[in-house]
């Protein structure tokens, strides 16, 4: 008589018990994330509600309007994007170069000191940059602007009577302001490049620059885009420095060196809001809504680029 083996059920896995500290931390993190979304939604709702009267107003209703809202906000939106684009055009190559020098070229002690200095630049108030732009940069750059208008006036960007307080000076100030943000992020991303990739490139006979071009920059491409978009968000929303440096006359113009410059939305709000009343306030809030939408769109596009880059890297 043989005994039949009866199957025994596997012991049930003990359910993991969550500690009180984990529950508190999870709840706090969830509350913080929810608060960000609620705050963003509240800001958007406020801007939309307050902007509707301003968007439908005409020159007869609001004194700051000549005809309608869209002709008023068009040059402001152009000036905002134009100044921010010029600032990024200056800041991105310089930031990448500084970040590469700190992460791959400078000795350790010098790299630490430069890193601290770059980080401290982000803490300088914007009004200080504005004073520097007016008192130092504009007078120093005026002879260069004069030479450019005399010898390069065949280029439409450099045509006209030169002025120190122009859109190019404002863009240089913005570039100095966003440089610490882009540099700090790029530096950290460059330092996260896998060491095996760098050593493999060097072992194959690549020079240090070839190693950076083949291993470091491709690895950090998504991070560079993210850092640039963060800098662009700072440049789009900057108020005081632009308001102090830029001699705005309104209108849309591509000239860089003259006193005839388009204004930006943040600077225009700061300059006009103290004396605004009635529908003029709604018009200014409506321009703020346009800036909100532009900034949101820029960050959404940057996130799409970064995610697409990650998917492409994962597929390969």
């Amino acid at each position: 008589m043989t005994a039949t083996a009866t199957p025994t059920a596997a012991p049930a896995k003990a359910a993991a018990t969550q500690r009180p500290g984990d529950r508190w931390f999870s709840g706090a993190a969830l509350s913080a994330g929810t608060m960000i979304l609620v705050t963003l939604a509240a800001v958007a709702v406020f801007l939309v509600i307050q902007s509707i009267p301003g968007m439908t107003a005409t020159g007869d209703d609001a004194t700051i309007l000549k005809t309608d809202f869209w002709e008023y906000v068009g040059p402001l939106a152009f000036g905002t994007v134009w100044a921010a684009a010029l600032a990024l055009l200056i800041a991105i190559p310089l930031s990448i170069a500084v970040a590469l020098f700190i992460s791959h070229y400078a000795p350790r002690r010098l790299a630490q000191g430069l890193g601290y200095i770059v980080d401290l630049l982000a803490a300088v108030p914007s009004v200080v940059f504005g004073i520097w732009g007016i008192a130092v940069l504009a007078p120093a750059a005026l002879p260069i602007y004069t030479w450019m208008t005399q010898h390069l006036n065949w280029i439409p960007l450099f045509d006209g009577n030169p002025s120190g307080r122009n859109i190019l000076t404002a863009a240089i100030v913005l570039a100095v302001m966003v440089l610490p943000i882009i540099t700090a992020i790029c530096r950290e991303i460059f330092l996260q490049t896998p060491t095996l990739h760098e050593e493999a490139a060097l072992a194959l006979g690549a020079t240090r620059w070839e190693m950076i071009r083949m291993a470091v920059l491709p690895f950090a491409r998504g991070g560079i885009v993210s850092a640039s978009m963060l800098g662009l968000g700072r440049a789009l929303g900057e108020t005081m420095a632009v308001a102090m440096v830029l001699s705005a006359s309104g209108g849309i113009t591509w000239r860089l060196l003259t006193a005839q410059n388009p204004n930006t939305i943040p600077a225009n709000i700061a300059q006009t809001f103290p004396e605004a009343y009635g529908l003029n306030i709604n018009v200014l809030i409506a321009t703020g809504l346009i800036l909100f939408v532009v900034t949101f769109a820029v960050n959404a596009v940057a996130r799409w680029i970064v995610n697409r880059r990650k998917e492409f890297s994962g597929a390969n």
Side-chain angles (χ1 to χ4, degrees):
M1 184 175 181
T2 59
T4 59
T6 58
T8 59
K13 188 177 181 179
T17 58
Q18 194 175 23
R19 297 179 180 179
D22 295 334
R23 290 195 298 268
W24 280 101
F25 179 78
S26 177
L30 179 61
S31 300
T34 305
M35 187 180 300
I36 293 175
L37 295 177
V38 171
T39 303
L40 184 63
V43 171
V45 171
F46 167 79
L47 289 175
V48 170
I49 293 176
Q50 295 294 325
S51 299
I52 292 176
M55 289 183 175
T56 57
T58 61
D60 298 332
D61 303 321
T63 57
I64 62 176
L65 296 179
K66 294 181 179 179
T67 54
D68 61 355
F69 170 76
W70 299 107
E71 291 191 9
Y72 175 75
V73 75
L76 297 176
F78 168 79
T80 303
V81 175
W82 182 225
L86 291 173
L88 282 191
L89 190 64
I90 299 171
I92 290 177
L94 184 59
S95 299
I96 294 175
V98 173
L100 285 175
F101 178 75
I102 294 175
S103 61
H104 286 81
Y105 286 93
R108 178 171 299 180
R109 291 185 179 180
L110 179 59
Q112 291 178 349
L114 288 177
Y116 292 146
I117 293 174
V118 170
D119 294 337
L120 286 175
L121 279 176
V124 177
S126 59
V127 66
V128 175
F129 284 107
I131 295 174
W132 170 75
I134 293 177
V136 179
L137 181 59
L142 185 57
I144 301 176
Y145 295 159
T146 303
W147 182 91
M148 294 173 67
T149 55
Q150 291 176 352
H151 297 83
L152 301 176
N153 56 4
W154 52 274
I155 302 176
L157 293 175
F158 305 135
D159 190 18
N161 296 322
S163 171
R165 300 178 58 184
N166 52 44
I167 193 72
L168 183 58
T169 302
I172 294 174
V173 174
L174 287 177
V176 175
M177 295 179 68
V178 304
L179 186 142
I181 301 174
I182 303 176
T183 301
I185 298 176
C186 290
R187 179 190 64 204
E188 296 301 323
I189 295 172
F190 293 158
L191 291 174
Q192 293 177 8
T193 305
T195 306
L196 291 177
H197 293 185
E198 298 181 357
E199 293 178 350
L202 294 174
L204 291 174
T207 63
R208 182 175 297 185
W209 163 243
E210 291 173 339
M211 177 270 295
I212 290 173
R213 184 169 55 86
M214 293 187 297
V216 177
L217 293 180
F219 174 81
R221 189 172 302 168
I224 293 173
V225 173
S226 299
S228 302
M229 293 304 103
L230 287 176
L232 178 59
R234 172 71 188 275
L236 288 173
E238 180 52 43
T239 303
M240 287 308 301
V242 177
M244 295 173 66
V245 172
L246 187 61
S247 175
S249 59
I252 297 178
T253 177
W254 296 93
R255 295 178 180 178
L256 299 179
L257 308 179
T258 67
Q260 317 301 324
N261 301 287
N263 205 352
T264 65
I265 292 177
N268 180 71
I269 293 176
Q271 295 166 347
T272 311
F273 198 87
E275 300 179 357
Y277 61 90
L279 279 177
N280 293 329
I281 296 178
N282 298 100
V283 171
L284 294 177
I285 294 176
T287 61
L289 175 63
I290 300 299
L291 179 62
F292 179 84
V293 171
V294 170
T295 306
F296 186 84
V298 165
N299 285 279
V301 171
R303 178 55 56 188
W304 177 80
I305 293 174
V306 172
N307 292 337
R308 184 177 177 85
R309 176 63 184 172
K310 289 181 180 178
E311 294 176 359
F312 179 77
S313 299
N316 292 338

